[in-house]
Each structure stands twice: as C-alpha cells, then as structure tokens.
Amino acid sequence: MVKDHFYYCLKDRLIFSQEYANECLKCLRYIEIYKKADYEFYKNNKLLFFFEELVNLPINIYRSYKVAKMRIHLTKCLYDIKVLKREIENYE
C-alpha cells in the first residue's frame, strides 16, 4: 500500500502523544513526591498543617482540579495512542 501524507501526519501525532504522556506521568510522579514530603513535614505539626490548609484552601482546591484535569487528559492521550497505533497498522 502506498503511504501518503496522512500516514506521516499520524506518525508525527503518535510521537507527540507519546512524549506528552511521558511528561504527564513525570509531572504526576513529582506531585506524589511533593505530597509525601508535605506529609513528612507536617507529621509532627498537626496544628500548622490545619492552619496552612485552611489559609490555602482556594489554592489547594485549584491544584486538585488541575491534577484531576491532568489525569483525565493523560487517560485520553493513552486512548489516542492506542487508536493511532491501530490506524498506522492499517497502513502497513
């Protein structure tokens, strides 16, 4: 089968999607490490933890929203990678 321009566009899109997925996974791992560090810091300072959470409540809600949104985008990207691989296999 002759490979046209669309095949190469699919290949480029697949490479970009894989890089994006890797960056999202890396960012989510950093967030988990940050949470573990916070837990260790506030383990003995329960009152300071409560005060910090109360003061930064809007920021913490926004951060949680961003993390949830990133997880949804990562899941969508992984499905996108599966579909792109299937489409590329159809060309071969």
Side-chain angles (χ1 to χ4, degrees):
M1 178 178 233
V2 178
K3 295 176 181 164
D4 59 354
H5 178 69
F6 188 65
Y7 170 80
Y8 296 106
C9 290
L10 286 176
K11 291 283 273 191
D12 290 340
R13 173 70 183 181
L14 177 64
I15 292 169
F16 174 76
S17 295
Q18 288 172 335
E19 290 173 358
Y20 178 77
N22 287 335
E23 291 298 318
C24 280
L25 286 172
K26 198 183 317 180
C27 187
L28 289 172
R29 286 181 190 152
Y30 287 141
I31 290 170
E32 291 300 318
I33 291 172
Y34 179 75
K35 285 182 181 178
K36 287 179 185 178
D38 269 357
Y39 176 75
E40 288 296 320
F41 178 74
Y42 291 120
K43 190 188 297 185
N44 297 327
N45 302 321
K46 304 265 188 220
L47 185 63
L48 183 61
F49 171 75
F50 178 74
F51 182 71
E52 190 265 340
E53 287 292 316
L54 185 65
V55 169
N56 294 325
L57 185 63
I59 294 171
N60 292 338
I61 292 171
Y62 179 69
R63 282 184 189 151
S64 298
Y65 169 74
K66 280 179 34 178
V67 170
K69 187 176 171 183
M70 186 184 307
R71 286 191 175 132
I72 290 170
H73 284 221
L74 176 62
T75 305
K76 183 185 178 298
C77 183
L78 293 175
Y79 281 113
D80 191 30
I81 289 170
K82 287 180 186 178
V83 170
L84 287 171
K85 284 182 179 180
R86 260 190 265 138
E87 289 294 321
I88 290 172
E89 285 176 2
N90 289 342
Y91 271 93
E92 295 174 353

